[in-house]
Amino acid sequence: MSQPQHRIRRLTRFFFFIARSFEIDLQGLGDTVRARRGAKLPVVLSIEEIERLFLELNGTSGLMLKLRTGRHCFRIRFVRH
């Protein structure tokens, strides 16, 4: 099933649920115009901005960002006692 068909099916199920749950007649919603999503542009940071970001984030957030981006990667060794 393609993405638009899936969205339409979900919306139809939602309207059916609302109509049944609240006993509302939704017959006039067939001509409803849905809002269009705006284009999302990727955010690109400069090298200096990235360096400042790494310096500002500490603790768990900083560690997760560094691991996610591959920066300061390290090997975790398991030691048996």
Side-chain angles (χ1 to χ4, degrees), residues 6-65:
H6 184 67
R7 286 189 195 133
I8 291 169
R9 184 169 285 168
R10 266 193 317 199
L11 187 61
T12 304
R13 288 178 182 167
F14 173 73
F15 284 148
F16 179 79
F17 171 75
I18 294 298
R20 291 291 177 128
S21 298
F22 298 106
E23 298 177 358
I24 300 173
D25 183 24
L26 299 177
Q27 294 297 326
L29 290 179
D31 299 329
T32 303
V33 177
R34 296 180 61 197
R36 294 183 182 254
R37 292 184 182 202
K40 293 184 180 181
L41 299 175
V43 177
V44 180
L45 301 176
S46 69
I47 294 173
E48 293 82 21
E49 290 172 323
I50 293 170
E51 288 297 328
R52 277 191 280 149
L53 188 61
F54 280 125
L55 291 174
E56 290 293 323
L57 287 177
N58 298 323
T60 305
S61 298
L63 177 62
M64 295 304 293
L65 178 66

